Structure formats: C-alpha cells, structure tokens
C-alpha cells in the first residue's frame, strides 16, 4: 500500500514540477473536475489495468488566481508504456508555430489565451499524432512547496545563472555552477532560466533535468513519511481534466515503473522570422517521426536546424560558427512585439 501511494505521489509531483514554468512527468490526481472522454475510457479498464500506451499533456503557466486567459510557459507530452515500462517526455517549445482554427498560424503558447485548455490539447494531438487522455495544469507556488517538502532535489547546475525577473515574488534568478541540493525556490529558478544563447530551447532541457531529479528523490524510502504532507499540496496545485477513476487506473499502471527508465526529448525545429515575429518552425512529418522514435527510447541531438547541439552546454560563438538562432536569444528581432510575449 505504501509503495502504491509512493508511486502515485511520484507522478503527481512531476506535474507540479511543470507548474514552475518548468517541467512535468505524469500527474494523476483529481482536482474535483471530471471530464468524459468519448475516445478514451480509461476508467472502464480499471480492474484489468492499461494494456496500451497512455499519454497526458502537462501544462505549466504562471497563472494568477483572477486570470481566466493566460499564456503557457511549459508544454510537455508525457507518455507511459505499460509493456516496456518506459516513460517518454516530449518538450514542445513555447514559440512552436501551429495552425489554430479560426485564428491562423500562432505560437502554441498563445492557444489557451485565445481559446482554452481543451483546444491546446487537441492541437498537440494533431501536431504529434498521439491521442491524449487528458491534461494537467499546475502553478508556481505548488511546485516550490512540494520540492521543499521533499527536502530539495540534487541538480548539477551547468553554469552561473543570474536574471532579474521583475516579479513581486520570485523576483530574481541567482544560481552558482556545480552540483547542489536546490530548495523549492532555487529549483524554480533553475527551471525558469532561459536568458542565454539558446533561450527557451535550453530551458526545456533544464525542465527535464528537474523532472528526473524529482523522480529520483520520490523513490527514496525517506519520502514515505512525507506523503501526508504532499497530498494536500498537490491537491491545491493542479487542475486536471482526468477523472478520479482515470487517475487510479493510471496510478495502478505506474506501480511497476523505474524512475531511471525515462527518455526526454525537445522537439527539433529551426528559427523562423516572419514580419518581426519569431517562431520555432517544425516539420509536421518530422514531428511524428520524432515521437515514434522517442516512444522506442531513441532521442536525437539534432535539435536546432538539424545541427547536433548539447542544450545544457554553454554556447561559445566563433567567427566560423555564430550563435544558433532560436526565439528569444540575443539575435532574435522579435522583442516585445510578439503576440503572447512575456518577460519570463
């Protein structure tokens, strides 16, 4: 029973990681909202478990309580395969250019502000070719509380990071290079940082690092006594379209999983500047192949314009190899004119 609770909380906590503007894994928790899915009745299988792959959309946004419309900072397609016991994570950059019915081409992070979460889910389905069981949305403060309750997470910060966010709370990012235990506030800083050469593209990789660190921490025996404190924090931190029965079914499948059997990939693409607005341009056929490969445990380092790149290694330009162009970096002409622009 304790092991089952531990696994459930593990996947729940991953979703809260996203809330930081950060990351996620799979969150299976009921926020009181139940949504029926005509094409995926997970609850019908609760007694026999899930035999086929199940995917959930993880959404992170710094949404204030009074906000009805908001832009999404983090979008991750999390997929669990009960046969291979592998968890696959596909980070979709916020500036990815997609066609939104009735609005034309938009950045994917604008969809919720223009429509709703369900439309974002459908758009990701069309983009990836993968059926999604539901979405989970989280927030900044819930992320920090859960990390603190865990006692922090161990992360190897790849370089010094400093940036003033302008927020009343969490107003700055200030981290030193090296392996260290990050509390909730520091983990949030690491997951949010995107003020370097690769901007949001490198941030997606940092979110994946945090995700794996949380998974490792959740599997520690020392986490068990913390479960009673984690449960209410998670309840306050998530908004999901998954029903209670769906969550229980998914949690049942997760019980045999190993946190080390996780593969993560940032969606490859290239910089596109259209009339002063910068996008992350992706090839629809390539996206589906990337998803297919990821589900088989295969990833690629050819993320930016088909060039191999280590997203976590500081980029040093040379005369023969200038900085790669990505939305939000120092060469981006986009600036504040872009729809959906946010400081952080």
């Amino acid at each position: 029973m304790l092991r089952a609770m531990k696994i459930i909380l593990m996947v729940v906590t991953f979703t809260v990681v996203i809330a930081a503007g950060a990351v996620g894994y799979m969150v299976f928790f009921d926020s009181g909202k139940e949504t029926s899915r005509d094409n995926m009745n997970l609850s019908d299988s609760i007694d026999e478990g899930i035999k086929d792959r199940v995917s959930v959309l993880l959404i992170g946004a710094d949404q204030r309580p009074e906000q009805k419309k908001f832009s999404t900072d983090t979008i991750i397609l999390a997929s669990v395969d009960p046969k291979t016991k592998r968890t696959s994570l596909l980070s979709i950059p916020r500036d990815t250019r997609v066609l939104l019915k009735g609005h034309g081409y938009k950045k994917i992070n604008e969809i919720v502000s223009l429509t709703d979460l369900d439309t974002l889910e459908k758009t990701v389905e069309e983009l990836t070719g993968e059926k999604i069981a539901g979405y989970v949305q989280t927030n900044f403060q819930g992320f920090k509380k859960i990390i603190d309750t865990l006692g922090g997470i161990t992360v190897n910060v790849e370089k010094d990071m400093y940036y003033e966010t302008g927020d009343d709370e969490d107003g700055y990012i200030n981290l030193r290079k090296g392996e260290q235990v990050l509390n909730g506030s520091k983990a949030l800083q690491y997951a949010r940082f995107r003020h370097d050469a690769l901007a949001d593209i490198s941030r997606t990789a940092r979110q994946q690092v945090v995700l794996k660190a949380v998974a490792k921490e959740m599997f520690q025996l020392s986490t068990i006594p913390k479960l009673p404190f984690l449960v209410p924090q998670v309840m306050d931190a998530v908004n999901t379209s998954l029903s209670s029965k769906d969550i229980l079914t998914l949690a049942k499948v997760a019980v045999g999983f190993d946190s080390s059997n996780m593969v993560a990939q940032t969606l490859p693409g290239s910089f596109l500047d259209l009339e002063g607005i910068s996008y992350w341009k992706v090839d629809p056929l390539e996206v589906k192949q990337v998803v297919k490969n990821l589900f088989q445990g295969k990833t690629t380092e050819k993320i930016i314009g088909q060039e191999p790149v280590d997203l976590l290694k500081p980029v040093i330009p040379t005369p023969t190899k200038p900085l790669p162009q990505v939305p939000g970096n120092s060469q981006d002409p986009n600036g504040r004119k872009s729809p959906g622009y946010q400081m952080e």
Side-chain angles (χ1 to χ4, degrees):
M1 181 62 181
L2 283 176
R3 175 171 172 77
M5 287 178 64
K6 184 177 174 184
I7 301 298
I8 293 171
L9 261 293
M10 179 193 72
V11 291
V12 170
T13 302
F14 283 163
T15 298
V16 180
V17 173
I18 296 189
V23 296
Y25 171 76
M26 262 186 93
V27 145
F28 309 132
F29 207 97
D30 185 16
S31 64
K33 175 183 177 182
E34 299 203 5
T35 302
S36 61
R37 300 277 168 172
D38 295 335
N39 297 323
M40 183 169 289
N41 298 315
L42 297 178
S43 57
D44 294 343
S45 322
I46 192 166
D47 293 329
E48 59 186 52
I50 298 173
K51 296 179 180 179
D52 299 319
R53 173 182 302 280
V54 176
S55 297
V56 176
L57 187 63
L58 306 177
I59 303 166
D62 185 18
Q63 180 189 11
R64 292 350 186 227
E66 69 278 2
Q67 284 184 308
K68 300 298 182 183
K69 298 293 183 180
F70 55 92
S71 295
T72 50
D73 287 317
T74 302
I75 303 170
I76 297 178
L77 177 67
S79 187
V80 170
D81 188 338
K83 296 177 183 177
T84 63
K85 299 188 183 302
R86 179 185 297 121
T87 302
S88 304
L89 304 166
L90 179 68
S91 296
I92 302 174
R94 53 179 287 169
D95 293 293
T96 300
R97 187 171 183 257
V98 293
L99 181 61
L100 179 61
K101 186 177 181 180
H103 296 274
Y105 282 97
K106 297 292 180 181
K107 294 187 177 187
I108 199 166
N109 79 313
E110 298 178 70
I111 291 179
V112 176
S113 65
L114 294 171
T115 56
D116 51 33
L117 288 165
D118 288 328
T119 302
L120 174 58
E121 180 183 320
K122 290 183 177 67
T123 302
V124 174
E125 284 186 336
E126 293 172 0
L127 178 66
T128 62
E130 177 68 8
K131 181 64 182 176
I132 298 174
Y135 63 79
V136 181
Q137 179 207 347
T138 54
N139 59 56
F140 277 15
Q141 300 310 315
F143 165 79
K144 292 194 297 182
K145 288 180 181 177
I146 287 184
I147 296 295
D148 285 336
T149 302
L150 284 172
I153 56 174
T154 301
V155 171
N156 187 12
V157 179
E158 66 272 13
K159 61 183 178 182
D160 291 347
M161 299 178 183
Y162 184 83
Y163 183 75
E164 295 181 10
T165 69
D167 295 346
D168 292 335
E169 190 171 350
D170 306 310
Y172 62 91
I173 295 171
N174 189 11
L175 298 171
R176 293 295 183 181
K177 178 180 178 180
E179 184 172 300
Q180 56 201 280
V181 176
L182 303 180
N183 62 16
S185 179
K186 293 289 187 181
L188 174 59
Q189 291 176 36
Y190 182 76
R192 292 181 73 186
F193 187 75
R194 62 185 178 95
H195 298 277
D196 54 14
L198 302 185
D200 186 57
I201 306 305
S202 59
R203 180 169 68 169
T204 62
R206 294 187 187 104
Q207 294 168 355
Q208 294 160 14
V209 168
V210 173
L211 212 161
K212 293 177 181 178
V214 171
K216 184 176 181 180
E217 186 63 35
M218 287 301 296
F219 270 104
Q220 302 298 320
L221 291 176
S222 58
T223 299
I224 293 177
K226 302 172 185 175
L227 293 178
F229 302 98
L230 286 169
V231 172
Q233 292 174 9
V234 171
M235 290 178 67
D236 291 338
V238 304
N239 167 39
T240 178
S241 62
L242 294 170
S243 71
S244 300
K245 289 183 178 180
D246 288 348
I247 293 160
L248 289 173
T249 304
L250 291 167
K252 182 176 179 180
V253 173
V255 167
F257 282 41
D258 184 344
S259 62
S260 65
N261 192 15
M262 297 172 61
V263 291
Q265 174 76 63
T266 297
L267 186 61
S270 59
F271 181 88
L272 175 65
D273 175 22
L274 290 178
E275 299 179 350
I277 298 177
S278 61
Y279 298 92
W280 188 242
K281 180 184 177 182
V282 299
D283 182 331
L285 294 179
E286 182 186 7
V287 171
K288 293 174 176 59
Q289 185 61 51
V290 166
V291 172
K292 181 179 178 180
N293 290 343
L294 184 64
F295 289 170
Q296 294 175 356
K298 304 174 185 176
T299 60
T300 178
E301 292 185 347
K302 294 183 178 181
I303 306 298
I304 303 173
Q306 294 299 313
E307 290 293 326
V309 61
D310 184 342
L311 298 184
L312 292 177
K313 185 177 181 180
V315 177
I316 302 175
T318 66
T320 58
K321 193 173 183 180
L323 288 175
Q325 282 192 296
V326 298
N329 77 350
S330 59
Q331 298 179 0
D332 179 7
N334 186 28
R336 297 173 181 265
K337 298 179 180 179
S338 170
Y341 173 83
Q342 291 179 324
M343 283 293 293
E344 185 62 23

